[in-house]
Amino acid sequence: MGLLQEVFQQLVNGLALGSIYALIALGYTMVYGIAKLINFAHGDILMLGAFAGFFVLITASAATPILYIVSFVVAMAICAAIGVIMEKTCYKPLRNAPRMNALITAIGLSFFLENGARVFPPIGPNPKQFPTLANVNFNLFGVNISQVQIIVFIVSIGLMVLLNYIVNYTKVGKAMRAVSFDRGAAYLMGINVNRIISFTFAIGSALAAAAGILFSTAYPQVEPYMGIMPGIKAFVAAVLGGIGSIPGAMIGGFILGVAETLTKGFISSQLADAIAFGILIVILIVKPTGILGANVSEKV
C-alpha cells in the first residue's frame, strides 16, 4: 500500500472512530450547555447502553440487521430513562448548590455505575464477546472500508442530523436554546425548565447508548470499565470543539479520532492516548473556549 493510500486508510479509520467520539461528546456538551454540569458519569452510560444491546443480541443464535436495529432502540430507551433518573435523583437536588458539589457527585456516580455493574450478576467483572455482523470489506481505490465502519458512519451521521433538527427546528429545541441562554428568563416566559433539563439528559444518554453499541461493534468486547477511556476522550473532544457547542462537539470528535488513528498509523500506537490528552492541554493553553466555544467568564 502506497503512502497516499495509507493516509486515506487512516483518515477513514479516524473518521469512523471520531464519529463515535462525537456522539458521546454531544451528550457532554448538551448537558453542560443546559445544566452547566460536566457529567463525568456519561461514559458509563455508554457502558450500560453497550450491555443493553449485548443482552438483546444474544437472544438469537446470530446477529441480524433487524436484531441490531432492535438493540439500538432498546438500549437508547433504557439509557434515556436512566439519564432522567440520574438527573432527578442525583443532580436536581444540587442545582442551586456550588458547582463543585455536582462535579463530585458526577464522579461518585461514575464509580457507582462501574462497580455496580461489576457486582451485578448478569454483567459481572469479566469481559464478554459482543455479537457482530459478518465481516465484509469493500475496496475503494485501494482503501478498505469495512461494513462496520459504514454502519458507524450512517448511524452516527443520522443521529447527529436528527439532533440538529430537534435543537434548531422544533419547539422543544427552541426551549432548550432558551434555557441554555438564560434559565431564569426562560422560566419567566413559561418554559418548564425542569422538563427541558430532563429531556436533555434523556437525549444525551440515548446518544451515549448508541455510541456504546457502535463502539462495541467496532471493538467487539464489553466490560464494566469500557466507558472510561471513550468517555474521557469524548470530553476532550467536547472541550476541543468548545464545550456547550453542538457543532463544536462534532468537529472535536472527528479531529480527535483522526489525530488518534494517524498517530497509531504513522508514529506509535502507544502514543495515541498521549496525543489525545496533549491536544487537550494545548487547547486549554492556547484557546480555552475551544474552536467554537463562546468566550464567557464564569466561576466554577
Side-chain angles (χ1 to χ4, degrees):
M1 182 180 286
L3 178 61
L4 191 61
Q5 288 176 328
E6 180 66 23
V7 170
F8 278 110
Q9 183 67 64
Q10 295 303 332
L11 285 176
V12 169
N13 297 341
L15 290 174
L17 179 62
S19 59
I20 296 176
Y21 288 154
L23 274 184
I24 311 169
L26 283 170
Y28 274 113
T29 209
M30 287 174 62
V31 168
Y32 183 82
I34 300 292
K36 298 292 181 283
L37 163 71
I38 298 174
N39 181 17
F40 279 113
H42 194 64
D44 301 297
I45 298 295
L46 176 148
M47 176 269 293
L48 294 176
F51 270 104
F54 168 79
F55 287 120
V56 171
L57 290 170
I58 62 172
T59 57
S61 57
T64 63
I66 297 296
L67 201 57
Y68 255 91
I69 294 172
V70 174
S71 71
F72 272 101
V73 173
V74 171
M76 292 173 75
I78 290 175
C79 287
I82 292 174
V84 173
I85 293 171
M86 280 170 46
E87 192 276 326
K88 294 287 186 190
T89 57
C90 301
Y91 298 135
K92 185 179 177 182
L94 299 173
R95 201 171 290 168
N96 297 318
R99 199 167 295 177
M100 186 60 71
N101 294 18
L103 187 65
I104 293 171
T105 300
I107 295 172
L109 186 58
S110 173
F111 286 129
F112 173 79
L113 292 175
E114 290 162 9
N115 292 287
R118 192 171 182 271
V119 299
F120 185 55
I123 296 178
N126 298 321
K128 294 179 172 57
Q129 184 75 21
F130 193 83
T132 58
L133 295 170
N135 187 23
V136 179
N137 289 318
F138 303 94
N139 191 288
L140 185 65
F141 302 112
V143 176
N144 289 320
I145 303 175
S146 70
Q147 179 179 244
V148 170
Q149 288 174 324
I150 294 173
I151 292 172
V152 169
F153 274 130
I154 292 175
V155 174
S156 300
I157 299 299
L159 288 173
M160 290 181 208
V161 170
L162 177 62
L163 176 66
N164 186 65
Y165 174 79
I166 291 174
V167 171
N168 292 303
Y169 300 102
T170 65
K171 189 175 179 180
V172 68
K174 185 182 290 185
M176 289 170 69
R177 284 182 282 135
V179 173
S180 174
F181 186 74
D182 191 324
R183 190 186 300 177
Y187 178 78
L188 292 174
M189 295 300 292
I191 294 173
N192 190 328
V193 173
N194 290 329
R195 185 177 299 172
I196 293 300
I197 292 176
S198 296
F199 180 77
T200 302
F201 269 85
I203 292 287
S205 299
L207 292 177
I213 295 178
L214 294 175
F215 189 81
S216 303
T217 304
Y219 307 94
Q221 183 172 284
V222 287
E223 51 96 10
Y225 300 109
M226 63 175 286
I228 296 176
M229 193 53 75
I232 294 175
K233 289 182 180 176
F235 173 68
V236 173
V239 173
L240 173 61
I243 194 159
S245 166
I246 289 177
M250 296 180 192
I251 293 171
F254 285 119
I255 291 176
L256 191 68
V258 170
E260 187 175 324
T261 54
L262 287 177
T263 303
K264 287 179 179 176
F266 295 102
I267 303 176
S268 169
S269 59
Q270 295 180 345
L271 288 176
D273 293 342
I275 292 293
F277 297 117
I279 290 174
L280 174 64
I281 294 170
V282 171
I283 285 294
L284 289 176
I285 293 173
V286 177
K287 196 172 187 306
T289 58
I291 296 172
L292 299 181
N295 191 13
V296 177
S297 60
E298 59 182 318
K299 183 179 178 181
V300 177

